[in-house]
Amino acid sequence: KTRVINQLKKRNWKDMKIFSFIVITISAILLPKTAAFAPINSVSFLSNSQVTTMGSTSSSKLTAKPFCIVVEAEIKEDRMDEFIDLIEKDAVGSRAEPGCLRFDVLQSQDNPNKFFFYEAYEDLKAVQFHKEQPHFALWTKFKESGGVVSSVSHKADGIMMTD
């Protein structure tokens, strides 16, 4: 397993998609309960008074909405290896934070240097805690050092989310 991974690492970026798929597949099979692949705990945002049963209705509103962030970032091609290393550390660290519901990293099919981070937190307090963590500082320092072509963050309220 290690020999195959080391051989794939030596190939160019186009082969990184294959490498990533293999690493994720091997890890998911061999290490299904590691932090990187652990299921996210279920959180309910409805109180008992908000449950609707047949024949009855409720006008109660959601008591708490998760705070979500979608980041769209284009990474400089010559900084991709550094980025992949730091974003993995950021994702794994973020998922372990209290209050983090989800931290996904997605790569564009159209542009291999463009990524989307989908982050969901219980509330703004959890976001603030996230921004104080060393793994978040890796991303901040990377941006400040000129590693990104562009980075745009979109904030949203979670209203219909999966557990």
Side-chain angles (χ1 to χ4, degrees):
K1 173 182 129 187
T2 304
R3 186 179 51 148
V4 171
I5 291 173
N6 288 333
Q7 288 173 348
L8 285 171
K9 282 183 180 178
K10 293 178 185 175
R11 297 188 179 217
N12 64 31
W13 176 244
K14 290 180 183 176
D15 291 336
M16 283 301 291
K17 287 182 183 178
I18 296 169
F19 169 72
S20 297
F21 175 77
I22 292 170
V23 169
I24 290 169
T25 303
I26 290 171
S27 299
I29 292 169
L30 298 178
L31 308 167
K33 299 208 186 269
T34 63
F37 298 99
I40 296 171
N41 293 334
S42 174
V43 176
S44 174
F45 297 101
L46 297 176
S47 68
N48 288 340
S49 65
Q50 295 167 310
V51 176
T52 303
T53 57
M54 198 91 158
S56 67
T57 60
S58 171
S59 60
S60 299
K61 295 181 180 179
L62 291 175
T63 57
K65 292 180 184 176
F67 188 87
C68 303
I69 305 166
V70 178
V71 178
E72 180 179 349
E74 186 171 353
I75 309 304
K76 288 188 176 177
E77 190 170 347
D78 63 333
R79 304 281 302 271
M80 287 296 292
D81 290 339
E82 180 185 356
F83 168 74
I84 295 296
D85 182 56
L86 81 86
I87 200 62
E88 179 182 14
K89 290 174 182 166
D90 191 14
V92 170
S94 298
R95 291 172 189 156
E97 294 171 13
C100 179
L101 304 174
R102 159 166 236 108
F103 192 106
D104 296 332
V105 179
L106 311 166
Q107 184 178 29
S108 172
Q109 292 180 355
D110 300 326
N111 178 351
N113 296 339
K114 186 173 278 192
F115 292 82
F116 304 92
F117 317 148
Y118 175 66
E119 307 172 44
Y121 300 91
E122 288 179 356
D123 52 30
L124 284 172
K125 257 173 120 173
V127 173
Q128 186 58 43
F129 179 82
H130 169 68
K131 290 182 175 183
E132 296 168 355
Q133 302 311 301
H135 51 266
F136 178 80
L138 297 172
W139 169 240
T140 302
K141 289 176 186 171
F142 181 78
K143 287 192 303 182
E144 290 170 353
S145 73
V148 299
V149 174
S150 64
S151 176
V152 179
S153 296
H154 305 277
K155 297 173 178 80
D157 291 324
I159 58 169
M160 290 183 216
M161 299 174 63
T162 58
D163 291 340

